[in-house]
Amino acid sequence: DAGVIQSPRHEVTEMGQEVTLRCKPISGHNSLFWYRQTMMRGLELLIYFNNNVPIDDSGMPEDRFSAKMPNASFSTLKIQPSEPRDSAVYFCASRPDSGSLYFGPGTRLTVT
Amino acid sequence: LAKTTQPISMDSYEGQEVNITCSHNNIATNDYITWYQQFPSQGPRFIIQGYKTKVTNEVASLFIPADRKSSTLSLPRVSLSDTAVYYCLVERPGNAGNMLTFGGGTRLMVKP
């Protein structure tokens, strides 16, 4: 298996633009997590899905953030409109029923 | 889930054994303890997991006392490449309601 796949790896955009981050979890993993990491706040859990259903999105910072998982092999995290304070590395991770988290390589987002 | 507390940083020298302790006073009966390692510009990756007593794999050992309120990650004979951030995580079997929240981690610096 190729592991968790994220795209793009780097994204630079201007304030106010829409940003969409993509994730393909490991096949057979039924949970998917979106994390954000910055120097100031560390690794923050934004939202997680179980069997494609959002279970808890209490970590999503505000309404500008939304996440979807239309099927077991794909998820998106969208920011609209983006702001400079959204600049961070966004990680997607998947997990089987009993096992550990597997993280993707991350998307480094820079909003200017 | 139980909140975890671990030292912010540690320094060591090549060839030494490093022990990083994590406290999780409110751990529940069904919870288990997992440690992750994160290198710069990468997502965290699984190192070791345990429920009680001692677990050993090719990378590390994990010591968990009888009351399970703390755990110690032991890295034998560290090298420069072990310089990373180490996270302790309390996890609950199954995925529903299993918000996997990372603490601040311990930044280990291995010196020559």
Short mmCIF file of all heavy atoms in Angstrom, two decimals, chain A residues 9-65:
data_model
loop_
_atom_site.label_atom_id
_atom_site.label_comp_id
_atom_site.label_asym_id
_atom_site.label_seq_id
_atom_site.Cartn_x
_atom_site.Cartn_y
_atom_site.Cartn_z
N ARG A 9 1.12 18.89 -2.01
CA ARG A 9 2.10 18.87 -0.93
C ARG A 9 2.39 20.28 -0.44
O ARG A 9 2.69 20.49 0.73
CB ARG A 9 3.40 18.21 -1.40
CG ARG A 9 3.27 16.74 -1.72
CD ARG A 9 2.95 15.91 -0.44
NE ARG A 9 3.90 16.19 0.62
CZ ARG A 9 5.09 15.61 0.72
NH1 ARG A 9 5.48 14.73 -0.17
NH2 ARG A 9 5.89 15.92 1.73
N HIS A 10 2.30 21.24 -1.35
CA HIS A 10 2.50 22.64 -1.00
C HIS A 10 1.43 23.47 -1.71
O HIS A 10 1.09 23.18 -2.85
CB HIS A 10 3.90 23.13 -1.44
CG HIS A 10 5.01 22.35 -0.85
ND1 HIS A 10 5.56 22.66 0.37
CD2 HIS A 10 5.69 21.27 -1.31
CE1 HIS A 10 6.54 21.80 0.64
NE2 HIS A 10 6.64 20.96 -0.36
N GLU A 11 0.94 24.47 -1.01
CA GLU A 11 -0.06 25.35 -1.59
C GLU A 11 0.21 26.76 -1.11
O GLU A 11 0.31 27.00 0.10
CB GLU A 11 -1.46 24.91 -1.16
CG GLU A 11 -2.59 25.80 -1.62
CD GLU A 11 -3.01 25.51 -3.05
OE1 GLU A 11 -2.89 24.35 -3.47
OE2 GLU A 11 -3.45 26.45 -3.74
N VAL A 12 0.34 27.66 -2.06
CA VAL A 12 0.51 29.07 -1.73
C VAL A 12 -0.65 29.81 -2.37
O VAL A 12 -0.89 29.67 -3.57
CB VAL A 12 1.85 29.64 -2.25
CG1 VAL A 12 1.96 31.13 -1.87
CG2 VAL A 12 3.02 28.87 -1.67
N THR A 13 -1.38 30.57 -1.59
CA THR A 13 -2.54 31.25 -2.12
C THR A 13 -2.68 32.61 -1.47
O THR A 13 -2.03 32.90 -0.45
CB THR A 13 -3.81 30.41 -1.87
OG1 THR A 13 -4.91 30.98 -2.60
CG2 THR A 13 -4.17 30.38 -0.39
N GLU A 14 -3.51 33.43 -2.05
CA GLU A 14 -3.74 34.76 -1.50
C GLU A 14 -4.96 34.77 -0.59
O GLU A 14 -5.91 33.99 -0.79
CB GLU A 14 -3.93 35.76 -2.64
CG GLU A 14 -2.66 36.00 -3.45
CD GLU A 14 -2.87 37.06 -4.51
OE1 GLU A 14 -4.02 37.43 -4.79
OE2 GLU A 14 -1.85 37.52 -5.07
N MET A 15 -4.91 35.62 0.36
CA MET A 15 -6.02 35.79 1.29
C MET A 15 -7.33 35.96 0.52
O MET A 15 -7.40 36.70 -0.48
CB MET A 15 -5.76 37.01 2.15
CG MET A 15 -6.83 37.27 3.20
SD MET A 15 -6.36 38.62 4.30
CE MET A 15 -6.26 39.98 3.16
N GLY A 16 -8.37 35.27 0.98
CA GLY A 16 -9.67 35.37 0.34
C GLY A 16 -9.96 34.27 -0.66
O GLY A 16 -11.12 34.04 -1.02
N GLN A 17 -8.93 33.56 -1.09
CA GLN A 17 -9.12 32.48 -2.05
C GLN A 17 -9.60 31.21 -1.35
O GLN A 17 -9.38 31.00 -0.16
CB GLN A 17 -7.82 32.19 -2.80
CG GLN A 17 -7.31 33.35 -3.64
CD GLN A 17 -8.29 33.70 -4.74
OE1 GLN A 17 -8.74 32.84 -5.51
NE2 GLN A 17 -8.66 34.97 -4.81
N GLU A 18 -10.24 30.36 -2.14
CA GLU A 18 -10.67 29.05 -1.63
C GLU A 18 -9.53 28.06 -1.77
O GLU A 18 -8.82 28.03 -2.77
CB GLU A 18 -11.88 28.56 -2.43
CG GLU A 18 -12.36 27.17 -2.03
CD GLU A 18 -13.57 26.73 -2.84
OE1 GLU A 18 -14.64 27.32 -2.69
OE2 GLU A 18 -13.41 25.78 -3.64
N VAL A 19 -9.36 27.24 -0.74
CA VAL A 19 -8.31 26.23 -0.74
C VAL A 19 -8.95 24.88 -0.48
O VAL A 19 -9.78 24.73 0.42
CB VAL A 19 -7.27 26.51 0.37
CG1 VAL A 19 -6.26 25.37 0.46
CG2 VAL A 19 -6.56 27.83 0.12
N THR A 20 -8.58 23.90 -1.28
CA THR A 20 -9.08 22.53 -1.07
C THR A 20 -7.91 21.57 -0.93
O THR A 20 -7.07 21.48 -1.83
CB THR A 20 -9.97 22.08 -2.23
OG1 THR A 20 -11.10 22.95 -2.34
CG2 THR A 20 -10.47 20.66 -2.00
N LEU A 21 -7.87 20.88 0.20
CA LEU A 21 -6.84 19.88 0.47
C LEU A 21 -7.48 18.51 0.33
O LEU A 21 -8.63 18.30 0.73
CB LEU A 21 -6.28 20.06 1.88
CG LEU A 21 -5.86 21.48 2.27
CD1 LEU A 21 -5.30 21.50 3.68
CD2 LEU A 21 -4.87 22.05 1.29
N ARG A 22 -6.70 17.58 -0.21
CA ARG A 22 -7.24 16.27 -0.52
C ARG A 22 -6.49 15.16 0.19
O ARG A 22 -5.28 15.28 0.45
CB ARG A 22 -7.22 16.03 -2.03
CG ARG A 22 -8.09 17.02 -2.80
CD ARG A 22 -7.91 16.89 -4.29
NE ARG A 22 -8.83 17.78 -5.01
CZ ARG A 22 -8.64 19.08 -5.18
NH1 ARG A 22 -7.55 19.66 -4.70
NH2 ARG A 22 -9.52 19.80 -5.85
N CYS A 23 -7.22 14.08 0.46
CA CYS A 23 -6.61 12.97 1.18
C CYS A 23 -7.19 11.64 0.70
O CYS A 23 -8.41 11.49 0.54
CB CYS A 23 -6.84 13.10 2.69
SG CYS A 23 -6.26 11.69 3.66
N LYS A 24 -6.30 10.68 0.49
CA LYS A 24 -6.71 9.31 0.19
C LYS A 24 -6.19 8.43 1.31
O LYS A 24 -4.97 8.26 1.45
CB LYS A 24 -6.13 8.86 -1.14
CG LYS A 24 -6.56 7.46 -1.57
CD LYS A 24 -5.91 7.08 -2.88
CE LYS A 24 -6.41 5.77 -3.46
NZ LYS A 24 -6.56 4.68 -2.51
N PRO A 25 -7.09 7.85 2.12
CA PRO A 25 -6.62 7.04 3.25
C PRO A 25 -6.14 5.67 2.77
O PRO A 25 -6.32 5.30 1.61
CB PRO A 25 -7.88 6.90 4.11
CG PRO A 25 -9.01 6.99 3.13
CD PRO A 25 -8.54 7.94 2.07
N ILE A 26 -5.55 4.94 3.68
CA ILE A 26 -5.12 3.57 3.38
C ILE A 26 -6.36 2.70 3.23
O ILE A 26 -7.30 2.78 4.04
CB ILE A 26 -4.21 3.03 4.49
CG1 ILE A 26 -2.89 3.83 4.50
CG2 ILE A 26 -3.94 1.55 4.32
CD1 ILE A 26 -1.97 3.50 5.65
N SER A 27 -6.37 1.88 2.20
CA SER A 27 -7.51 1.02 1.93
C SER A 27 -7.79 0.11 3.13
O SER A 27 -6.87 -0.50 3.69
CB SER A 27 -7.22 0.17 0.68
OG SER A 27 -8.27 -0.73 0.44
N GLY A 28 -9.07 0.06 3.52
CA GLY A 28 -9.45 -0.80 4.64
C GLY A 28 -9.50 -0.09 5.98
O GLY A 28 -10.04 -0.62 6.95
N HIS A 29 -8.92 1.10 6.05
CA HIS A 29 -8.99 1.89 7.28
C HIS A 29 -10.35 2.58 7.32
O HIS A 29 -10.73 3.25 6.35
CB HIS A 29 -7.88 2.93 7.32
CG HIS A 29 -6.54 2.34 7.60
ND1 HIS A 29 -5.44 3.13 7.93
CD2 HIS A 29 -6.10 1.06 7.61
CE1 HIS A 29 -4.39 2.35 8.13
NE2 HIS A 29 -4.76 1.10 7.93
N ASN A 30 -11.05 2.47 8.43
CA ASN A 30 -12.40 3.02 8.45
C ASN A 30 -12.51 4.34 9.21
O ASN A 30 -13.60 4.87 9.37
CB ASN A 30 -13.40 2.00 9.02
CG ASN A 30 -13.04 1.57 10.42
OD1 ASN A 30 -12.02 1.97 10.96
ND2 ASN A 30 -13.87 0.73 11.00
N SER A 31 -11.40 4.86 9.69
CA SER A 31 -11.42 6.18 10.32
C SER A 31 -10.42 7.10 9.64
O SER A 31 -9.32 6.67 9.28
CB SER A 31 -11.07 6.08 11.82
OG SER A 31 -12.12 5.53 12.55
N LEU A 32 -10.82 8.36 9.52
CA LEU A 32 -9.95 9.35 8.89
C LEU A 32 -9.95 10.61 9.74
O LEU A 32 -11.00 11.04 10.23
CB LEU A 32 -10.44 9.67 7.47
CG LEU A 32 -9.58 10.65 6.67
CD1 LEU A 32 -9.49 10.20 5.21
CD2 LEU A 32 -10.09 12.06 6.77
N PHE A 33 -8.78 11.18 9.91
CA PHE A 33 -8.59 12.34 10.78
C PHE A 33 -7.91 13.45 10.00
O PHE A 33 -6.99 13.20 9.21
CB PHE A 33 -7.70 11.97 11.97
CG PHE A 33 -8.23 10.84 12.82
CD1 PHE A 33 -8.14 9.52 12.39
CD2 PHE A 33 -8.80 11.10 14.05
CE1 PHE A 33 -8.61 8.48 13.17
CE2 PHE A 33 -9.27 10.06 14.84
CZ PHE A 33 -9.18 8.76 14.40
N TRP A 34 -8.32 14.69 10.26
CA TRP A 34 -7.62 15.87 9.75
C TRP A 34 -7.01 16.62 10.93
O TRP A 34 -7.71 16.94 11.90
CB TRP A 34 -8.56 16.81 9.00
CG TRP A 34 -8.90 16.37 7.61
CD1 TRP A 34 -10.03 15.75 7.19
CD2 TRP A 34 -8.10 16.57 6.44
NE1 TRP A 34 -9.98 15.53 5.83
CE2 TRP A 34 -8.80 16.02 5.35
CE3 TRP A 34 -6.85 17.14 6.20
CZ2 TRP A 34 -8.31 16.04 4.04
CZ3 TRP A 34 -6.36 17.16 4.91
CH2 TRP A 34 -7.08 16.62 3.85
N TYR A 35 -5.69 16.88 10.83
CA TYR A 35 -4.97 17.63 11.85
C TYR A 35 -4.33 18.86 11.21
O TYR A 35 -4.05 18.91 10.02
CB TYR A 35 -3.83 16.79 12.45
CG TYR A 35 -4.24 15.66 13.36
CD1 TYR A 35 -4.52 14.40 12.85
CD2 TYR A 35 -4.34 15.85 14.73
CE1 TYR A 35 -4.88 13.35 13.68
CE2 TYR A 35 -4.70 14.80 15.58
CZ TYR A 35 -4.97 13.56 15.04
OH TYR A 35 -5.33 12.53 15.87
N ARG A 36 -4.08 19.86 12.05
CA ARG A 36 -3.36 21.06 11.63
C ARG A 36 -2.20 21.25 12.60
O ARG A 36 -2.37 21.11 13.82
CB ARG A 36 -4.28 22.27 11.66
CG ARG A 36 -3.60 23.59 11.35
CD ARG A 36 -4.60 24.72 11.24
NE ARG A 36 -5.19 25.09 12.52
CZ ARG A 36 -6.02 26.13 12.65
NH1 ARG A 36 -6.37 26.85 11.60
NH2 ARG A 36 -6.51 26.41 13.84
N GLN A 37 -1.02 21.60 12.08
CA GLN A 37 0.14 21.80 12.94
C GLN A 37 0.80 23.13 12.68
O GLN A 37 1.12 23.47 11.54
CB GLN A 37 1.16 20.68 12.75
CG GLN A 37 2.32 20.73 13.76
CD GLN A 37 3.18 19.49 13.72
OE1 GLN A 37 3.47 18.95 12.66
NE2 GLN A 37 3.60 19.01 14.90
N THR A 38 1.00 23.89 13.75
CA THR A 38 1.76 25.14 13.71
C THR A 38 2.72 25.16 14.88
O THR A 38 2.57 24.39 15.83
CB THR A 38 0.83 26.37 13.81
OG1 THR A 38 0.14 26.31 15.08
CG2 THR A 38 -0.19 26.41 12.69
N MET A 39 3.69 26.03 14.80
CA MET A 39 4.65 26.15 15.90
C MET A 39 3.95 26.60 17.18
O MET A 39 4.27 26.12 18.27
CB MET A 39 5.75 27.15 15.53
CG MET A 39 6.72 26.63 14.50
SD MET A 39 7.69 25.25 15.13
CE MET A 39 8.67 26.08 16.38
N MET A 40 3.01 27.51 17.04
CA MET A 40 2.37 28.09 18.22
C MET A 40 1.39 27.12 18.89
O MET A 40 1.35 27.04 20.13
CB MET A 40 1.63 29.36 17.83
CG MET A 40 2.54 30.50 17.44
SD MET A 40 3.62 31.00 18.78
CE MET A 40 2.42 31.62 19.96
N ARG A 41 0.61 26.40 18.10
CA ARG A 41 -0.48 25.59 18.67
C ARG A 41 -0.22 24.09 18.62
O ARG A 41 -1.02 23.31 19.14
CB ARG A 41 -1.79 25.91 17.95
CG ARG A 41 -2.27 27.35 18.17
CD ARG A 41 -3.67 27.54 17.62
NE ARG A 41 -3.71 27.31 16.18
CZ ARG A 41 -3.54 28.27 15.28
NH1 ARG A 41 -3.31 29.51 15.67
NH2 ARG A 41 -3.58 28.00 13.99
N GLY A 42 0.90 23.69 18.02
CA GLY A 42 1.20 22.27 17.96
C GLY A 42 0.28 21.54 17.00
O GLY A 42 -0.21 22.10 16.02
N LEU A 43 0.02 20.26 17.31
CA LEU A 43 -0.79 19.39 16.45
C LEU A 43 -2.22 19.40 16.96
O LEU A 43 -2.53 18.87 18.02
CB LEU A 43 -0.18 17.99 16.50
CG LEU A 43 -0.51 16.98 15.41
CD1 LEU A 43 -0.13 17.52 14.05
CD2 LEU A 43 0.23 15.68 15.68
N GLU A 44 -3.12 19.99 16.17
CA GLU A 44 -4.52 20.13 16.58
C GLU A 44 -5.40 19.21 15.74
O GLU A 44 -5.29 19.18 14.52
CB GLU A 44 -5.02 21.55 16.33
CG GLU A 44 -4.26 22.66 17.01
CD GLU A 44 -4.78 24.01 16.53
OE1 GLU A 44 -4.35 24.45 15.44
OE2 GLU A 44 -5.63 24.60 17.22
N LEU A 45 -6.30 18.50 16.41
CA LEU A 45 -7.27 17.67 15.70
C LEU A 45 -8.43 18.55 15.26
O LEU A 45 -9.05 19.22 16.07
CB LEU A 45 -7.77 16.55 16.62
CG LEU A 45 -8.84 15.64 16.03
CD1 LEU A 45 -8.34 14.92 14.79
CD2 LEU A 45 -9.30 14.63 17.07
N LEU A 46 -8.73 18.54 13.97
CA LEU A 46 -9.80 19.37 13.42
C LEU A 46 -11.12 18.61 13.37
O LEU A 46 -12.15 19.09 13.82
CB LEU A 46 -9.43 19.86 12.02
CG LEU A 46 -8.14 20.68 11.92
CD1 LEU A 46 -7.88 21.05 10.46
CD2 LEU A 46 -8.21 21.92 12.78
N ILE A 47 -11.09 17.43 12.78
CA ILE A 47 -12.30 16.65 12.58
C ILE A 47 -11.92 15.21 12.35
O ILE A 47 -10.80 14.92 11.89
CB ILE A 47 -13.11 17.19 11.38
CG1 ILE A 47 -14.44 16.46 11.20
CG2 ILE A 47 -12.27 17.10 10.09
CD1 ILE A 47 -15.35 17.10 10.14
N TYR A 48 -12.83 14.27 12.69
CA TYR A 48 -12.57 12.91 12.27
C TYR A 48 -13.85 12.23 11.81
O TYR A 48 -14.95 12.59 12.23
CB TYR A 48 -11.82 12.11 13.34
CG TYR A 48 -12.64 11.37 14.37
CD1 TYR A 48 -12.91 10.02 14.20
CD2 TYR A 48 -13.06 12.00 15.52
CE1 TYR A 48 -13.60 9.32 15.16
CE2 TYR A 48 -13.77 11.30 16.49
CZ TYR A 48 -14.03 9.96 16.31
OH TYR A 48 -14.73 9.26 17.26
N PHE A 49 -13.66 11.27 10.90
CA PHE A 49 -14.74 10.52 10.29
C PHE A 49 -14.60 9.04 10.68
O PHE A 49 -13.49 8.52 10.78
CB PHE A 49 -14.66 10.60 8.75
CG PHE A 49 -14.86 11.96 8.18
CD1 PHE A 49 -13.81 12.87 8.12
CD2 PHE A 49 -16.09 12.35 7.67
CE1 PHE A 49 -13.98 14.13 7.58
CE2 PHE A 49 -16.27 13.61 7.11
CZ PHE A 49 -15.22 14.50 7.07
N ASN A 50 -15.73 8.39 10.84
CA ASN A 50 -15.75 6.95 11.02
C ASN A 50 -16.72 6.38 10.00
O ASN A 50 -17.89 6.80 9.96
CB ASN A 50 -16.16 6.57 12.43
CG ASN A 50 -16.02 5.07 12.68
OD1 ASN A 50 -15.08 4.45 12.22
ND2 ASN A 50 -16.96 4.51 13.41
N ASN A 51 -16.26 5.45 9.16
CA ASN A 51 -17.09 4.92 8.08
C ASN A 51 -17.74 6.04 7.26
O ASN A 51 -18.94 6.01 6.97
CB ASN A 51 -18.16 3.98 8.65
CG ASN A 51 -17.56 2.72 9.24
OD1 ASN A 51 -16.58 2.19 8.72
ND2 ASN A 51 -18.11 2.26 10.34
N ASN A 52 -16.94 7.04 6.92
CA ASN A 52 -17.31 8.16 6.06
C ASN A 52 -18.23 9.18 6.73
O ASN A 52 -18.63 10.15 6.09
CB ASN A 52 -17.96 7.70 4.75
CG ASN A 52 -17.21 6.56 4.08
OD1 ASN A 52 -16.01 6.40 4.30
ND2 ASN A 52 -17.89 5.79 3.27
N VAL A 53 -18.59 8.97 7.96
CA VAL A 53 -19.50 9.87 8.66
C VAL A 53 -18.71 10.75 9.61
O VAL A 53 -17.91 10.25 10.40
CB VAL A 53 -20.56 9.07 9.45
CG1 VAL A 53 -21.45 10.00 10.26
CG2 VAL A 53 -21.38 8.19 8.51
N PRO A 54 -18.92 12.08 9.57
CA PRO A 54 -18.23 12.95 10.52
C PRO A 54 -18.72 12.67 11.93
O PRO A 54 -19.91 12.73 12.21
CB PRO A 54 -18.59 14.36 10.05
CG PRO A 54 -19.85 14.20 9.28
CD PRO A 54 -19.81 12.84 8.67
N ILE A 55 -17.78 12.37 12.83
CA ILE A 55 -18.14 12.02 14.20
C ILE A 55 -18.03 13.22 15.12
O ILE A 55 -18.88 13.47 15.97
CB ILE A 55 -17.27 10.87 14.73
CG1 ILE A 55 -17.43 9.63 13.84
CG2 ILE A 55 -17.63 10.55 16.18
CD1 ILE A 55 -18.84 9.09 13.75
N ASP A 56 -16.97 13.98 14.98
CA ASP A 56 -16.76 15.14 15.85
C ASP A 56 -15.98 16.19 15.08
O ASP A 56 -14.87 15.94 14.66
CB ASP A 56 -16.00 14.72 17.11
CG ASP A 56 -16.05 15.79 18.19
OD1 ASP A 56 -15.97 16.99 17.85
OD2 ASP A 56 -16.14 15.43 19.38
N ASP A 57 -16.58 17.34 14.91
CA ASP A 57 -15.89 18.44 14.21
C ASP A 57 -15.66 19.62 15.15
O ASP A 57 -15.51 20.76 14.70
CB ASP A 57 -16.69 18.88 12.97
CG ASP A 57 -18.04 19.47 13.35
OD1 ASP A 57 -18.42 19.43 14.55
OD2 ASP A 57 -18.73 19.95 12.44
N SER A 58 -15.63 19.34 16.43
CA SER A 58 -15.48 20.43 17.40
C SER A 58 -14.13 21.13 17.30
O SER A 58 -13.97 22.24 17.78
CB SER A 58 -15.67 19.90 18.83
OG SER A 58 -14.72 18.90 19.12
N GLY A 59 -13.18 20.51 16.64
CA GLY A 59 -11.87 21.12 16.48
C GLY A 59 -11.78 22.05 15.28
O GLY A 59 -10.78 22.76 15.11
N MET A 60 -12.79 22.07 14.44
CA MET A 60 -12.78 22.95 13.27
C MET A 60 -12.85 24.39 13.77
O MET A 60 -13.78 24.75 14.49
CB MET A 60 -13.96 22.64 12.36
CG MET A 60 -13.89 21.23 11.78
SD MET A 60 -12.69 21.09 10.46
CE MET A 60 -13.78 21.24 9.04
N PRO A 61 -11.88 25.23 13.38
CA PRO A 61 -11.77 26.55 13.98
C PRO A 61 -12.98 27.46 13.75
O PRO A 61 -13.37 28.20 14.63
CB PRO A 61 -10.50 27.13 13.36
CG PRO A 61 -10.14 26.24 12.23
CD PRO A 61 -10.80 24.95 12.43
N GLU A 62 -13.56 27.44 12.59
CA GLU A 62 -14.70 28.31 12.32
C GLU A 62 -15.39 27.86 11.05
O GLU A 62 -14.98 26.92 10.40
CB GLU A 62 -14.24 29.76 12.23
CG GLU A 62 -13.01 29.98 11.37
CD GLU A 62 -12.37 31.33 11.61
OE1 GLU A 62 -12.85 32.31 11.02
OE2 GLU A 62 -11.41 31.39 12.40
N ASP A 63 -16.48 28.58 10.73
CA ASP A 63 -17.31 28.17 9.59
C ASP A 63 -16.58 28.23 8.25
O ASP A 63 -17.06 27.67 7.27
CB ASP A 63 -18.56 29.05 9.52
CG ASP A 63 -19.49 28.78 10.70
OD1 ASP A 63 -19.28 27.75 11.36
OD2 ASP A 63 -20.39 29.59 10.94
N ARG A 64 -15.46 28.86 8.22
CA ARG A 64 -14.72 28.93 6.95
C ARG A 64 -14.15 27.56 6.59
O ARG A 64 -13.78 27.33 5.45
CB ARG A 64 -13.58 29.95 7.05
CG ARG A 64 -14.04 31.38 7.29
CD ARG A 64 -12.85 32.34 7.26
NE ARG A 64 -11.90 32.09 8.35
CZ ARG A 64 -10.71 31.54 8.18
NH1 ARG A 64 -10.29 31.19 6.97
NH2 ARG A 64 -9.90 31.36 9.21
N PHE A 65 -14.07 26.68 7.57
CA PHE A 65 -13.52 25.34 7.37
C PHE A 65 -14.66 24.35 7.20
O PHE A 65 -15.63 24.36 7.96
CB PHE A 65 -12.67 24.92 8.57
CG PHE A 65 -11.33 25.60 8.65
CD1 PHE A 65 -11.23 26.95 8.94
CD2 PHE A 65 -10.16 24.87 8.45
CE1 PHE A 65 -10.00 27.58 9.02
CE2 PHE A 65 -8.92 25.48 8.54
CZ PHE A 65 -8.83 26.83 8.84
#
